[in-house]
Amino acid sequence: MDNNEKGHFNILLFSGDYDKCLAAFILANGARDKGMTVTVFCAFWGLLILRDPDKLSMEDKDTYERMFASFTPTEAEKLPLSKMNLAGIGKSMLLNMMDAKDTPHLRDFLEGARKKKVKFCACKLSMEIMGFKKEELLPGVEVMDVYAFLDDAKKASIQLFI
């Protein structure tokens, strides 16, 4: 089947907020369920969703990069809410509400997207600026420059910036 027969969905994920990433991955999973190809290109704060907490390293990082790595969430479930986070109380409330309604968490949608072969890409320049190494990312993440992203986005029938 041709990639464009069912459509191609491209998300530029710039946010590192739990609720915004949740929306992105609900949409990515839904698009895959409808037979679309999906690319999620993570830039700057969006890179936080791609970190593998078991592979984080301070090796070969300068002072700013070590500080940055220390002060940012190490995995999807540790991301804050975009609004009403209230030092984590708001997020706890949201997770309790999700649990009460048997709703999957962000890590579940992320894992579902990975199993469904959503293409995950990390912005090369964002990684360089923030001091992230490819080895610190989840398996299967491709490092992509802006030109490759634009080529992918050009093929998309739906594009979102989250």
Side-chain angles (χ1 to χ4, degrees):
M1 176 184 298
D2 183 321
N3 275 356
N4 291 323
E5 199 168 312
K6 296 264 184 170
H8 178 61
F9 184 32
N10 181 289
I11 300 173
L12 192 163
L13 183 60
F14 184 81
S15 176
D17 295 323
Y18 190 93
D19 46 325
K20 292 177 183 178
C21 289
L22 186 63
F25 288 111
I26 290 170
L27 290 168
N29 278 284
R32 284 299 297 139
D33 290 344
K34 291 186 70 61
M36 299 176 77
T37 57
V38 179
T39 299
V40 179
F41 180 77
C42 298
F44 290 98
W45 302 114
L47 288 172
L48 298 176
I49 195 85
L50 299 178
R51 295 171 83 186
D52 186 331
D54 298 326
K55 295 181 182 174
L56 300 182
S57 170
M58 296 297 174
E59 201 170 306
D60 298 325
K61 292 184 190 267
D62 65 27
T63 302
Y64 288 131
E65 292 170 343
R66 282 195 298 272
M67 288 174 61
F68 202 83
S70 297
F71 295 131
T72 53
T74 56
E75 61 182 297
E77 287 303 311
K78 293 185 178 180
L79 296 175
L81 289 181
S82 62
K83 304 277 187 232
M84 293 183 55
N85 193 51
L86 309 170
I89 295 169
K91 183 176 170 195
S92 284
M93 290 170 45
L94 175 68
L95 294 177
N96 287 335
M97 292 164 49
M98 290 170 69
D99 289 342
K101 298 195 183 336
D102 256 350
T103 305
H105 287 220
L106 177 56
R107 70 174 165 264
D108 302 315
F109 284 108
L110 173 60
E111 190 56 35
R114 292 179 68 211
K115 286 180 181 171
K116 293 175 186 176
K117 306 290 188 222
V118 166
K119 181 179 179 180
F120 289 96
C121 302
C123 174
K124 183 176 187 279
L125 182 59
S126 296
M127 287 180 62
E128 290 170 2
I129 291 169
M130 297 173 81
F132 294 166
K133 310 286 185 246
K134 181 170 178 34
E135 300 78 33
E136 296 177 292
L137 303 179
L138 296 169
V141 173
E142 178 184 331
V143 176
M144 180 183 278
D145 65 22
V146 68
Y147 304 110
F149 164 72
L150 292 170
D151 288 340
D152 185 86
K154 193 165 53 173
K155 297 182 299 189
S157 45
I158 301 173
Q159 299 174 36
L160 296 179
F161 181 96
I162 299 176

